Amino acid sequence: MAENHPTRSRGLALAVLCAASLMVVLDSSIVAVALPAIQADLGFTPAGLAWVVTAYLVAFGGLLLISGRLGDLLGRRRVFLGGLGLFTFASLVAGLATDAGVLVVSRFAQGVGGALASAVVLGMIVTMYPEPRARAKAIGVYSFTQAAGASIGLIAGGALTQALNWHWTFYVNLPIGVAALLLAVRVIEADRGTGLRAGLDVLGAVLVTAAVMLGVYAISDARWGALAAAAVLLAAFVVRQAKARTPLLPLRLFRIRAVTGANLVMVLMVAGMLGFQFVTALYLQQVLGLDALGTGVAFLPVPAVIAVASLGFADKLASRFGPRAMLLSGLGLVIVGLLLLTRVAVDGGYFTDVLPPLLVMGLGAGVAIPALMGLAMSDVAAEDAGVASGLINTTQQVGAAVGTAVLAAAAAARTASLGPVDHREALAAGFRLAYGISAGFLIAAVTLGALVLARRPRPVTVPAAPASEPELCIADHA
C-alpha cells in the first residue's frame, strides 16, 4: 500500500476486493432469469439447459478449498489476480457463445476463475485489518456483497435480458473485471506465500475437489448414487488429512471452536436463506403473477436493508455485545420472517404478505452474516487464513445446494400430493411447507450456534497493532 496514504489505500483495496467478490456472486444468479432466452437462442434441451447453471456451481464449489490453500502457498494477491483474469476472459467467451457446448465450457471456466478469486478475499481482508473494530467494519462491507449479490443478480439479469439480450448478462462482467484487475495491481499489497515447497497435498486436493464437485452435482440434480460416492470421497479426504505431512486442510483448524461452529452454522443458515430466495421467486411469479424483472425488483428491499445494517451499525453492535450475541439475534429475526411467510396465500399481496417478512429478514441477515464471517476467521493463524477463507466459502456453497434441493423437492412433493385442486392453491401450499423447512434450518443454526460458539469476553480497547505486525496473527477480539 502507498506509504503516504495507508488508510485510503487500504480502503481502496477493500473496495476492489469487494467489487470483484460481488461480480462473482452476481454470476451465480444473474443468468437465472435469462435461461429461457438462452434456451431459445442456442437450442438447449431442458436437461442440457440446467448445465448452464450446474457447470458454474460444480467448478466454483469444488475448487474453493484448494484455491484458498494455493493462496497460502503462492500468495493471495497472485491467486486473486489469476482468478479474476480467468473469470473476466471466460465471461467474454460466454457472451460471444453461439454454441451450447461453448457456453457450458465457458461457464465451467468462470467457476474456476471465480473460485480462485473469491477463496482468498476474506483472508486478505482480515490480514489488512488487524484492528478489531476496523476489521468488523471491513467484514461488514464484504458480507453485504455476499448477502446482497444474489438479489442484485436477479434484478440485473431481468433488466439486461429485457432491455438488451442474454449475452449482456456476461458482457457486464468485462468492465468490472478489467477495472478491478488494473486497480488491484496498484493498490493491493503483494504478499509472500509459504511456497510450494511447504507442500501441496495433491492427493487430498483431488479427493476433496472430486467430492465437492460430485456432491454439488448430485444435490442439484437429485443423483443419490453420486451423493453416496461424494460421501465416500469426503471420508477418504478426512483420512488423508489426518495422515498427510502437509495437509490441504489442517484438521487442527477444527480444534478452534469458533471455526468449527461458524462453518456448521453457515451450512444451515445458507440452506434456509438461499433456499428461501428460490421459493420466493417461484411464489412471486407462479402465484402472484409477477414477471422476471418484477420479481427481481421485489427482492430489492432485501439488499437495501442488509446494506443499512451491515454497513451502518453491525460493527458497532458486535463491538458492544460480541459477535456471538449478534449472530444469534440476527438469526432470530430471520426465523421470524420465515415464519411470517408460512402464511402466504393465493390471494395474498406483495406489500401485505411478502414485503414485511423480507424487511425483517434483511435486518437479521445484515447483523448475523458479518458476525458469522468474523467468527469463522477468528483465532486463525496468518499462514492458514487462505484455507480458512476457502473453507467458509465452501460451506456456503454446500448450504446453498442443500437448501435449494431440499426446499424445491419438498414444495414439489406437497403440491403433487394435493391432487386435482386449484393449481395455484396447491403451489402456495407447497411454498408454505418450504418456508417452514427454511425456518427449521435456521432454528437448528441458532441452537448449534448457542451450544458450540463460546461466549467471548466483552471487548476492551487496545492500541492498534503496528503496520509491520498484521501477518503475525489473525485473532478476532470483537
Side-chain angles (χ1 to χ4, degrees):
M1 292 173 224
E3 293 183 4
N4 293 334
H5 302 285
T7 301
R8 196 171 92 185
S9 296
R10 191 169 67 167
L12 186 55
L14 175 64
V16 170
L17 292 173
C18 288
S21 180
L22 178 62
M23 180 177 67
V24 173
V25 173
L26 285 175
D27 217 66
S28 64
S29 61
I30 194 171
V31 180
V33 294
L35 289 176
I38 291 173
Q39 183 177 22
D41 198 13
L42 299 186
F44 273 100
T45 64
L49 186 65
W51 278 99
V52 177
V53 175
T54 304
Y56 179 86
L57 293 177
V58 164
F60 186 73
L63 293 171
L64 281 166
L65 195 56
I66 188 174
S67 298
R69 181 59 175 158
L70 286 173
D72 293 332
L73 298 176
L74 301 176
R76 294 175 203 118
R77 178 178 180 267
R78 183 181 300 175
V79 171
F80 172 77
L81 292 175
L84 185 56
L86 175 59
F87 182 89
T88 304
F89 177 73
S91 297
L92 174 62
V93 176
L96 294 172
T98 56
D99 175 79
V102 171
L103 181 59
V104 170
V105 171
S106 62
R107 286 288 285 165
F108 187 89
Q110 276 189 305
V112 175
L116 288 166
S118 327
V120 295
V121 168
L122 189 55
M124 295 168 77
I125 290 173
V126 297
T127 303
M128 285 193 303
Y129 290 88
E131 312 91 349
R133 178 69 178 273
R135 179 190 297 170
K137 187 74 171 178
I139 290 178
V141 176
Y142 171 76
S143 300
F144 165 70
T145 67
Q146 297 292 295
S151 297
I152 297 172
L154 290 172
I155 300 168
L160 289 170
T161 302
Q162 290 188 201
L164 298 168
N165 55 59
W166 66 264
H167 299 275
W168 283 92
T169 61
F170 300 108
Y171 289 149
V172 71
N173 294 329
L174 301 183
I176 302 173
V178 170
L181 274 170
L182 294 176
L183 285 170
V185 172
R186 292 178 58 87
V187 303
I188 297 178
E189 185 177 356
D191 60 315
R192 179 176 296 178
T194 55
L196 288 176
R197 291 182 181 177
L200 177 61
D201 179 16
V202 177
L203 177 58
V206 171
L207 287 171
V208 73
T209 300
V212 178
M213 283 186 171
L214 198 57
V216 171
Y217 162 69
I219 294 169
S220 301
D221 211 37
R223 305 281 183 173
W224 307 120
L227 187 61
V232 172
L233 289 171
L234 189 60
F237 168 72
V238 173
V239 172
R240 170 65 183 173
Q241 298 313 285
K243 296 181 177 181
R245 184 174 62 86
T246 53
L248 175 68
L249 176 60
L251 297 184
R252 66 177 182 273
L253 283 176
F254 295 103
R255 290 198 292 267
I256 304 173
R257 287 174 65 93
V259 172
T260 301
N263 278 275
L264 292 173
V265 170
M266 178 64 80
V267 172
L268 294 167
M269 182 185 77
V270 174
M273 293 181 65
L274 263 294
F276 133 80
Q277 284 195 329
F278 172 79
V279 170
T280 303
L282 293 178
Y283 173 73
L284 291 173
Q285 293 185 70
Q286 296 178 354
V287 177
L288 297 190
L290 274 65
D291 60 17
L293 181 57
T295 299
V297 173
F299 278 102
L300 188 58
V302 178
V305 176
I306 290 174
V308 171
S310 61
L311 306 182
F313 53 80
D315 61 316
K316 301 179 182 66
L317 292 176
S319 296
R320 175 70 177 82
F321 299 105
R324 177 182 179 272
M326 299 320 301
L327 170 64
L328 299 180
S329 300
L331 293 182
L333 288 174
V334 175
I335 292 169
V336 170
L338 287 169
L339 291 176
L340 289 173
L341 285 171
T342 61
R343 301 163 58 248
V344 295
V346 171
D347 57 353
Y350 169 73
F351 290 101
T352 56
D353 299 300
V354 179
L355 181 58
L358 289 185
L359 296 176
V360 173
M361 293 178 67
L363 179 61
V367 171
I369 294 174
L372 185 58
M373 290 289 189
L375 286 166
M377 298 300 293
S378 63
D379 305 326
V380 176
E383 63 267 20
D384 293 325
V387 72
S389 174
L391 177 62
I392 194 68
N393 279 283
T394 301
T395 55
Q396 276 186 278
Q397 294 304 306
V398 171
V402 169
T404 302
V406 169
L407 296 186
R414 174 62 174 158
T415 297
S417 71
L418 294 178
V421 299
D422 179 77
H423 182 59
R424 289 171 61 240
E425 178 56 49
L427 286 171
F431 298 146
R432 286 194 293 269
L433 174 63
Y435 287 131
I437 295 173
S438 288
F441 279 128
L442 270 295
I443 291 170
V446 169
T447 304
L448 188 65
L451 293 174
V452 176
L453 295 173
R455 291 183 181 274
R456 289 176 173 264
R458 179 171 291 187
V460 296
T461 303
V462 295
S468 60
E469 294 182 359
E471 309 86 39
L472 298 180
C473 178
I474 302 177
D476 184 0
H477 301 292

